[in-house]
Amino acid sequence: MQCDYFDAGRCRSCTIIRTPYRAQLAAKHERARAALGEGPAWEAPLASAESGFRNKAKMVAGGTVEDPRLGILVPGGGVQDLRECPLHEPALEASLPVLAEFATRARLVPYDVTTRRGELKYVLATVSPDGELLVRFVLRSTESVPRIRKHLGWLTARLPGLRVASVNLHPTHSAVVEGAEEILLTDQAFLPMRIGPVELGLRPQGFFQTSTGIAAALYRTAAAWTADLDYRSAWDLYCGVGGFAMHLARPGTDVIGVEASAEAVAAATASAARSRLAHVRFETADAGAFARDAAQAPDLVVVNPPRRGIGDLTRWLEASGVRHVLYSSCNVDSLAGDLAAMPSLRPVRAQVLDMFPHTEHFETLVLAER
């Protein structure tokens, strides 16, 4: 992939971009095999598009009201504009100049990390498979909210695909991207994310995989690997907006999704209702606490945890009698450690899915059985 920002030394986020993509993919496959061993049947790694695959933009705001920048923070506190980053899906890339123009129109003063002054900290945007948008403005205070509301009609006219817009309030000076309070600006509260036969819903504070194409492949693979398993009950732990849960739903099977984010659970619950999946439900809870408090273990457990892995949940799974565990991970090292802590669950299938081209990161899916 050609990237002028990288060639000019302005952005180094894609650390291995100069490695040919086929070699990147082969190296990730070998890295996963080395970490997990030859026990499972390894499928060929799943390639991504080399550019235009990223469905979300997390842009630091910088510059001035008249000349805003949307990009990444650089040493010294400045911001390198990355509006033409080739990773973004085309509809997302096309929205960024409009969002920068909107910042000028609404007089959103970019936050300066060195002086700790200004209002607009980040612009966060996500595009759906249908080309629709969810846009969030991360602000230090409510000072700019009336002006954003005043000019929102201009923004929706310029971005006809804008379905959800919100303000996130982040008053503290910290490395955390967003705060706890969200102010919805549009009548619609969720962005439909159509993944094959399933329509997921993304709310402003919800989580969705970075690449829609790879996410769809991940869910299809999960459904294919479990199609012949005899399970009457399943848990989707760390379920996010419910992608695995709704792809594993089938007649006669009870599926429960568990997620700490109430926003994600609300979106997943609404998605299941729209899809008339009566035997799929979602709960807001810590995954480990939910498992420990349950009266009975299910037949199948899906885990898709943060990079740190599932921690103490390994002990519960090892002792639980659960017959199959489907583990999706963005960190093969924590995945390997967690599997080692569950020796009764033997990995039988595995695959690398390249969610993050041009970086060392990737997704690994493993099916383990007792």
Side-chain angles (χ1 to χ4, degrees), residues 7-71:
D7 290 346
R10 296 173 182 168
C11 178
R12 285 289 188 265
S13 298
C14 294
T15 55
I16 58 172
I17 192 172
R18 287 181 173 159
T19 301
Y21 184 62
R22 290 180 64 182
Q24 291 182 32
L25 195 62
K28 292 179 180 184
H29 181 61
E30 291 308 311
R31 170 85 173 81
R33 288 169 65 106
L36 302 182
E38 299 298 326
W42 282 94
E43 302 195 7
L46 185 69
S48 167
E50 293 187 41
S51 62
F53 61 83
R54 190 176 173 88
N55 61 26
K56 63 182 70 174
K58 183 175 72 176
M59 313 298 278
V60 179
T64 65
V65 170
E66 298 301 337
D67 184 22
R69 298 176 184 177
L70 299 179

Side-chain angles (χ1 to χ4, degrees), residues 58-62 69-71 73 79 108-113 116-124 136-141 168-179:
K58 183 175 72 176
M59 313 298 278
V60 179
R69 298 176 184 177
L70 299 179
L73 200 63
V79 171
L108 305 181
V109 180
Y111 183 72
D112 187 322
V113 297
R116 302 191 181 187
R117 295 180 179 177
E119 288 294 317
L120 180 63
K121 293 186 172 183
Y122 294 89
V123 174
L124 311 177
R136 304 169 66 202
F137 301 97
V138 180
L139 302 178
R140 189 170 63 127
S141 75
N168 178 271
L169 295 180
H170 183 11
T172 60
H173 180 82
S174 70
V176 177
V177 173
E178 61 187 76

Side-chain angles (χ1 to χ4, degrees), residues 237-250:
L237 304 182
Y238 314 93
C239 70
V241 295
F244 283 109
M246 283 185 270
H247 279 81
L248 297 178
R250 62 192 190 189

Side-chain angles (χ1 to χ4, degrees), residues 135-139 141 145 148 165-169 181-185:
V135 174
R136 304 169 66 202
F137 301 97
V138 180
L139 302 178
S141 75
V145 173
I148 291 176
S166 67
V167 163
N168 178 271
L169 295 180
E181 184 178 353
E182 199 84 14
I183 302 172
L184 189 65
L185 302 173

Side-chain angles (χ1 to χ4, degrees), residues 11-294:
C11 178
R12 285 289 188 265
S13 298
C14 294
T15 55
I16 58 172
I17 192 172
R18 287 181 173 159
T19 301
Y21 184 62
R22 290 180 64 182
Q24 291 182 32
L25 195 62
K28 292 179 180 184
H29 181 61
E30 291 308 311
R31 170 85 173 81
R33 288 169 65 106
L36 302 182
E38 299 298 326
W42 282 94
E43 302 195 7
L46 185 69
S48 167
E50 293 187 41
S51 62
F53 61 83
R54 190 176 173 88
N55 61 26
K56 63 182 70 174
K58 183 175 72 176
M59 313 298 278
V60 179
T64 65
V65 170
E66 298 301 337
D67 184 22
R69 298 176 184 177
L70 299 179
I72 58 172
L73 200 63
V74 296
V79 171
Q80 169 61 54
D81 193 277
L82 294 179
R83 277 178 271 179
E84 296 179 3
C85 173
L87 298 183
H88 295 139
E89 288 192 27
L92 186 58
E93 182 180 352
S95 73
L96 296 177
V98 179
L99 292 171
E101 187 177 351
F102 178 77
T104 299
R105 180 172 289 267
R107 311 305 293 174
L108 305 181
V109 180
Y111 183 72
D112 187 322
V113 297
T114 58
T115 63
R116 302 191 181 187
R117 295 180 179 177
E119 288 294 317
L120 180 63
K121 293 186 172 183
Y122 294 89
V123 174
L124 311 177
T126 303
V127 64
S128 78
D130 296 326
E132 298 180 330
L133 291 166
L134 182 157
V135 174
R136 304 169 66 202
F137 301 97
V138 180
L139 302 178
R140 189 170 63 127
S141 75
T142 59
E143 184 271 336
S144 304
V145 173
R147 297 195 300 280
I148 291 176
R149 291 188 185 277
K150 176 182 177 180
H151 295 285
L152 193 60
W154 177 92
L155 185 61
T156 54
R158 292 291 303 274
L159 295 177
L162 181 62
R163 291 293 171 268
V164 185
S166 67
V167 163
N168 178 271
L169 295 180
H170 183 11
T172 60
H173 180 82
S174 70
V176 177
V177 173
E178 61 187 76
E181 184 178 353
E182 199 84 14
I183 302 172
L184 189 65
L185 302 173
T186 50
D187 293 335
Q188 187 163 318
F190 70 92
L191 181 70
M193 302 290 287
R194 303 179 196 278
I195 307 295
V198 173
E199 181 187 280
L200 304 175
L202 180 64
R203 293 170 68 93
Q205 290 181 299
F207 169 81
F208 194 81
Q209 301 281 7
T210 299
S211 166
T212 304
I214 298 297
L218 188 63
Y219 299 143
R220 285 196 305 269
T221 303
W225 286 6
T226 58
D228 294 331
L229 301 184
D230 181 19
Y231 63 93
R232 298 293 180 182
S233 57
W235 293 350
D236 178 7
L237 304 182
Y238 314 93
C239 70
V241 295
F244 283 109
M246 283 185 270
H247 279 81
L248 297 178
R250 62 192 190 189
T253 299
D254 291 319
V255 181
I256 301 175
V258 180
E259 168 60 48
S261 166
E263 281 285 304
V265 168
T269 300
S271 297
R274 287 194 303 273
S275 299
R276 299 182 180 179
L277 296 175
H279 296 290
V280 180
R281 64 184 176 89
F282 298 91
E283 294 191 17
T284 304
D286 172 79
F290 175 87
R292 290 189 295 272
D293 293 343

